[in-house]
Amino acid sequence: MIIGSNLPNIPWQDRPSGCTDPIWRYDNNPIVGRHDIPSANSIFNSAVIAKDGAFVGVFRSDNKVMEQQLFLGKSNDAIHWEIEHEPLKLFCEKSGECVGLAYGYDPRVCFLEDRYYVTWCSPFEQHYGPTIGVAYSYDFKTFYRLPDAYLPYNRNGVLFPRKINGKYMMFSRPSDNGHTPFGEMFLSESPDMVHWGCHHHVMSPTGWAWTKVGAGPIPIEIDEGWLLIFHGVGTTCNGMIYSIGGAILDRNEPWKVLYRCKPFLLHPRPCTSVSATCRTSASPAPHFRTHRPAVSPSTTALRTRLSPWPSRRLTSSSTTSRKMRFNTPPGNTRGKAI
């Protein structure tokens, strides 16, 4: 069972007739179109969280000169969205002065203690290689930027929703300056959300995700530990294929993988998922799913999302590992699927 507050208004669509998969696609995709922001060339990689009976999201949008920026969106039902037309502004925590716009991609939103944290892949100090940017807000009106979490090069920064053993925890995937053809998942600890260390290896590429793996949405605390939805990538002659996998991590030492799905949970199958320019993918977005049209020119083109976030389905059974069809690795395989 999920350990957390109930979300009675989260959108839901029943399993399609004849479907036996643990995750299924929302049949009214796309939820967010590519032109919902006037300056946008494309909109994708959403990070959505419930707030005050409604929903708030941070969205990546590439404009028509292909600048990657983050935008704020709001919705009463997580289906119909109003996205602001100006990029998200960041302010200095001490002086309160504006320090620029939120440039980058792959945002995540996590409520932690008394505020909402946004992590995203950001140019280090706004000028250099990619790393993990961190900002927080109390009200989704003013966002205060913290120092970048890591040196370049790093991606897929995903926070845990509470401290573990008195420390903040964050996933990441060390990378390079390009479309990384490699990647293992790591976890780091921090006493203050600024200084990150005590790094632990979590998971390696294997099986259908033979090129790289990375954390998806915020981990969900369940009876068995932490439910992690991750994306995995396999490189083919037609480009990189993104799929979704699942794992359960130890509650107190979350770098230890207790269970990991051998098959993927979601894979690009419909024509809208496999007819993009040079990439095909099904990739987890934090807490919510959107869908990009197949005509999107993005080189990471097309991510098929789910709506709503499928974790609610798990509440119908107390045996999460059986519902998600996890396999138990013999001993400590350091994240090797079996």
Side-chain angles (χ1 to χ4, degrees):
M1 296 291 289
I2 294 174
I3 299 173
S5 58
N6 187 30
L7 296 176
N9 63 331
I10 193 168
W12 183 251
Q13 186 174 74
D14 290 336
R15 185 199 301 268
S17 176
C19 176
T20 59
D21 296 330
I23 297 177
W24 52 92
R25 292 173 170 84
Y26 181 55
D27 64 9
N28 287 322
N29 284 330
I31 292 172
V32 177
R34 63 183 299 181
H35 298 305
D36 287 2
I37 300 172
S39 63
N41 175 70
S42 53
I43 305 172
F44 45 95
N45 290 21
S46 58
V48 172
I49 194 166
K51 183 180 185 298
D52 300 331
F55 300 88
V56 182
V58 177
F59 298 81
R60 167 187 170 177
S61 176
D62 292 3
N63 61 25
K64 294 172 184 176
V65 294
M66 300 308 291
E67 292 174 325
Q68 301 161 341
Q69 298 172 323
L70 304 185
F71 290 75
L72 185 67
K74 297 181 180 179
S75 173
N76 291 324
D77 59 7
I79 297 293
H80 303 91
W81 285 88
E82 294 183 2
I83 302 178
E84 295 182 0
H85 294 174
E86 296 299 323
L88 194 150
K89 293 182 179 179
L90 301 173
F91 293 84
C92 176
E93 187 178 29
K94 294 181 180 179
S95 68
E97 297 179 353
C98 181
V99 294
L101 304 177
Y103 287 95
Y105 48 92
D106 295 347
R108 273 79 167 180
V109 179
C110 179
F111 182 73
L112 185 52
E113 297 175 331
D114 62 347
R115 64 196 71 180
Y116 297 88
Y117 284 94
V118 181
T119 56
W120 73 102
C121 188
S122 170
F124 183 76
E125 295 183 348
Q126 301 282 36
H127 297 290
Y128 305 102
T131 186
I132 308 302
V134 183
Y136 70 86
S137 176
Y138 297 105
D139 53 12
F140 281 96
K141 295 179 180 178
T142 305
F143 291 82
Y144 298 100
R145 179 150 196 175
L146 296 177
D148 292 328
Y150 308 102
L151 292 171
Y153 303 90
N154 216 312
R155 303 175 189 241
N156 296 131
V158 179
L159 289 166
F160 279 72
R162 68 169 176 86
K163 287 182 176 179
I164 300 175
N165 301 321
K167 299 290 182 65
Y168 299 102
M169 301 276 179
M170 185 193 297
F171 291 115
S172 69
R173 187 184 70 208
S175 65
D176 60 17
N177 201 30
H179 204 306
T180 318
F182 63 89
E184 310 222 358
M185 195 187 308
F186 291 82
L187 184 147
S188 303
E189 305 178 18
S190 173
D192 55 9
M193 286 292 295
V194 173
H195 303 91
W196 293 91
C198 298
H199 311 293
H200 307 272
H201 179 265
V202 178
M203 189 180 294
S204 298
T206 189
W208 54 268
W210 64 82
T211 299
K212 54 185 175 180
V213 290
I218 306 304
I220 300 171
E221 191 168 10
I222 58 175
D223 289 342
E224 291 91 337
W226 293 97
L227 172 63
L228 171 67
I229 303 297
F230 65 92
H231 69 271
V233 183
T235 303
T236 72
C237 59
N238 196 38
M240 292 183 174
I241 299 177
Y242 285 69
S243 304
I244 295 174
I248 294 179
L249 312 178
D250 184 84
R251 185 184 312 280
N252 297 316
E253 297 178 309
W255 52 89
K256 294 182 178 179
V257 179
L258 304 181
Y259 308 93
R260 180 176 177 178
C261 284
K262 185 174 182 178
F264 50 72
L265 299 179
L266 192 68
H267 187 72
R269 288 180 178 173
C271 61
T272 52
S273 297
V274 298
S275 57
T277 49
C278 63
R279 299 286 186 268
T280 57
S281 63
S283 175
H287 294 220
F288 178 69
R289 302 296 184 254
T290 62
H291 178 109
R292 266 190 294 175
V295 295
S296 170
S298 169
T299 56
T300 58
L302 186 134
R303 304 222 194 297
T304 299
R305 310 292 194 190
L306 299 176
S307 175
W309 167 240
S311 63
R312 179 178 172 184
R313 182 174 169 271
L314 300 180
T315 62
S316 63
S317 170
S318 60
T319 311
T320 306
S321 57
R322 181 173 66 250
K323 277 287 186 181
M324 298 297 285
R325 300 178 184 176
F326 286 97
N327 295 312
T328 307
N332 183 5
T333 60
R334 304 298 295 164
K336 299 290 187 181
I338 63 170

